[in-house]
């Protein structure tokens, strides 16, 4: 049976700042999807930090207008509920008034994957908050291209040929600028791009052995849509696992690093990515950047209940370690790598100050040979 998984997420309001949506808001979104989602085979609504994700199973394919409209309308209805409750930042990610066939370019982020269901079909739904789509670059590289993290690349004949990476240049705004690179032959080229999380983002990954798609990531850049800061791009991702794909544990393993990503306070800092339990809020310095992971099986379009993949004593140790990494970098405040580079700073305040200071610079001791 051919099915499509569509995960669409948006921040439409939260309690106490940008921490988490209210139960009332979540219930409103879930109720809308349940009532209007006649075309769905199954659904699941969940939050991470201040973002709500609607996971939908259907057989209408990727980018389907009906499915996107359903999510858009659910977020619209949720926004009304959030306003009525007096939540903060209501409708924050709904950047346009009118729906135009697809949520792309309207604010919400989408990760969608259409495939022929295997007899048993395990997959992972990742949701991150207070960070950017490039946050998944390193974990995906390590899970799909590095035998140090994914021994399946050596051990499993069904992964012998490696994987191909579709990588998007998210700084290009006139269309989708995408390159396809093949692991393992082009590993160094892949690394050259994926080191730059702000510009190059993994969009999808396919098995070179079977041709099947394993990964779909959201690549939305809110800044590019709105032309100003309206919140970080808090990415979601679907990863099919096991058998011809990396095992769940191989995909989770790189998240032990707690690598530094862009985001955190005011979307303008670096912080380590902390793997958290389902339904976690953010806190310290509006962070740290967090990622949650729900593991499902889907069978004939029906979802099992999820397993909370980061709810295990091992990840408590990781969280302690990541908290230390966060505090260590935070101690140097605005200095050097603690904040993002000039081009990635949000709110426009620093650019404005720099403009004002420009005229107050004086040039002393001109070098005669350069005049
Ligand atoms: C980052 C984020 C928060 C806000 C900060 C200020 O993605 O959502 O760190 O940037 O709390 O929020 P405002 O501008 O709404 O007062
Ligand atoms: Mg968010
Ligand atoms: Mg937000």
């Amino acid at each position: 049976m051919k099915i499509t998984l569509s995960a669409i997420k948006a921040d439409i309001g939260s309690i106490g700042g940008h921490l988490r949506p209210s139960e009332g808001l979540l219930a409103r979104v879930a109720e809308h999807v349940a009532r209007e989602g006649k075309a769905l085979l199954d659904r699941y609504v969940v939050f991470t930090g201040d973002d709500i994700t609607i996971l939908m199973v259907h057989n209408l394919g990727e980018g389907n207008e009906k499915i996107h409209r359903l999510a858009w309308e659910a977020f619209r209805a949720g926004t009304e509920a959030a306003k009525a409750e007096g939540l903060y930042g209501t409708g924050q990610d709904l950047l346009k008034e009118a729906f135009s066939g697809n949520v792309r370019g309207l604010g919400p982020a989408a990760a969608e994957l259409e495939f022929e269901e295997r007899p048993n079909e395990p997959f992972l739904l990742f949701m991150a908050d207070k960070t950017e789509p490039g946050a998944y670059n390193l974990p995906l590289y390590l899970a799909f291209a590095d035998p140090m993290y994914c021994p399946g690349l050596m051990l499993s004949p069904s992964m012998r040929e490696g994987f191909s990476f579709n990588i998007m240049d998210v700084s290009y705004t006139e269309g989708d600028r995408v390159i396809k690179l093949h692991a393992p032959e082009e590993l160094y080229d892949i690394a050259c791009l994926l080191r730059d999380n702000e510009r190059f983002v993994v969009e999808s990954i396919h098995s070179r052995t079977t041709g099947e798609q394993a990964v779909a990531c959201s690549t939305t850049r809110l800044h590019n849509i709105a032309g100003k800061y309206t919140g970080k791009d808090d990415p979601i991702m679907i990863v099919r696992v096991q058998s011809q794909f990396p095992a769940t544990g191989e995909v989770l393993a790189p998240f032990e690093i707690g690598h530094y990503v862009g985001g955190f306070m005011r979307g303008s800092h670096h912080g380590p990515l902390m793997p958290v339990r389902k339904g976690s809020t953010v806190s310290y310095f509006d962070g740290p950047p967090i990622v949650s992971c729900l593991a499902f099986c889907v069978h004939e379009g029906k979802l099992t209940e999820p397993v909370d993949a980061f709810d295990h004593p091992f990840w408590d140790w990781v969280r302690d370690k990541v908290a230390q990494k966060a505090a260590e970098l935070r101690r140097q405040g605005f200095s050097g790598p603690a904040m993002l580079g000039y081009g990635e700073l949000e709110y426009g305040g620093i650019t404005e100050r720099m403009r004002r200071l420009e005229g107050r610079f004086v040039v002393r001791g001109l070098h005669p040979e350069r005049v």
Side-chain angles (χ1 to χ4, degrees):
M1 176 177 183
K2 201 167 202 175
I3 61 161
T4 306
L5 298 176
S6 296
I8 303 187
K9 76 102 220 172
D11 172 356
I12 50 171
S14 40
I15 309 175
H18 297 274
L19 306 187
R20 59 153 286 180
S22 67
E23 293 298 336
L25 168 49
L26 283 163
R28 183 75 186 87
V29 171
E31 180 259 324
H32 184 100
V33 178
R35 181 162 40 81
E36 301 297 326
K38 305 277 182 288
L40 300 179
L41 300 170
D42 209 347
R43 66 201 64 81
Y44 191 81
V45 176
V46 64
F47 78 94
T48 295
D50 59 9
D51 300 299
I52 297 178
T53 299
I54 308 172
L55 173 65
M56 293 167 282
V57 192
H58 56 94
N59 44 29
L60 301 177
E62 292 172 31
N64 180 270
E65 175 162 356
K66 241 189 206 166
I67 299 299
H68 280 237
R69 182 184 291 281
L70 174 64
W72 176 259
E73 299 292 347
F75 289 135
R76 293 282 288 216
T79 299
E80 290 314 309
K83 280 184 185 155
E85 282 188 42
L87 299 190
Y88 188 69
T90 54
Q92 185 183 283
D93 283 356
L94 308 186
L95 302 179
K96 304 274 160 83
E97 273 304 307
F99 180 74
S100 53
N102 191 298
V103 295
R104 280 193 70 178
L106 303 183
E112 298 190 276
L113 213 153
E114 184 182 26
F115 53 90
E116 194 61 50
E117 210 185 71
R118 296 174 285 176
N120 34 61
E121 183 63 59
F123 73 93
L124 308 175
L125 172 66
F126 286 91
M127 295 160 287
D129 189 31
K130 304 296 185 262
T131 186
E132 59 191 0
Y136 295 131
N137 283 357
L138 181 64
L140 288 175
Y141 174 87
L142 296 175
F144 283 84
D146 187 345
M148 292 284 283
Y149 281 79
C150 180
L153 295 169
M154 302 180 292
L155 294 167
S156 166
S158 58
M159 283 196 269
R160 190 177 34 223
E161 308 297 326
F163 291 89
S164 57
F165 287 65
N166 280 319
I167 300 171
M168 187 183 286
D169 175 357
V170 290
S171 67
Y172 190 82
T173 51
E174 282 160 43
D176 291 347
R177 188 163 182 262
V178 183
I179 186 170
K180 190 186 205 82
L181 293 173
H182 305 289
E185 309 91 282
E186 297 178 299
L187 268 190
Y188 297 167
D189 296 322
I190 294 173
C192 268
L193 299 182
L194 296 191
R195 57 154 218 94
D196 187 350
N197 290 343
E198 283 147 13
R199 178 160 179 202
F200 296 108
V201 171
V202 176
E203 180 197 47
S204 60
I205 299 179
H206 291 76
S207 159
R208 296 175 70 195
T209 314
T210 67
E212 291 167 287
Q213 186 172 350
V215 176
C217 303
S218 65
T219 52
T220 323
R221 291 231 46 185
L222 292 174
H223 193 110
N224 293 349
I225 302 170
K228 61 176 170 39
Y229 187 57
T230 55
K232 215 59 192 170
D233 316 301
D234 306 334
I236 49 176
M237 163 166 91
I238 297 169
V239 183
R240 296 172 70 200
V241 287
Q242 304 295 146
S243 189
Q244 65 270 53
F245 304 123
T248 298
E250 287 167 333
V251 177
L252 297 180
F255 289 93
E256 176 271 329
I257 299 169
H259 64 302
Y260 289 106
V261 295
F264 221 164
M265 176 58 76
R266 295 184 183 274
S268 302
H269 293 80
H270 281 121
L273 186 64
M274 181 182 278
V276 294
R277 291 190 182 88
K278 169 176 176 267
S280 288
T281 64
V282 291
S283 174
Y284 168 67
F285 203 61
D286 281 5
I290 55 172
V291 60
S292 65
C293 175
L294 299 185
F296 292 88
C297 274
V298 57
H299 185 59
E300 291 171 357
K302 291 282 172 221
L303 294 167
T304 58
E305 74 269 29
V307 170
D308 187 349
F310 292 133
D311 183 13
H312 183 278
F314 176 83
W315 298 102
D316 290 335
W317 171 75
V318 171
R319 285 187 272 272
D320 284 350
K321 208 172 52 133
V322 172
Q324 283 179 32
K325 285 182 72 167
E328 201 49 56
L329 189 58
R330 280 304 332 125
R331 286 177 60 206
Q332 67 177 67
F334 56 77
S335 180
M339 287 191 87
L340 296 187
Y342 195 71
E344 287 295 318
L345 297 174
E346 308 291 1
Y347 285 90
I350 292 190
T351 326
E352 188 193 303
R353 275 172 200 282
M354 290 300 287
R355 223 178 290 122
R356 275 197 283 117
L357 295 178
E358 201 51 42
R360 291 178 56 188
F361 276 93
V362 289
V363 180
R364 276 199 313 243
L366 279 176
H367 301 293
E369 69 277 11
R370 301 211 193 130
V371 180

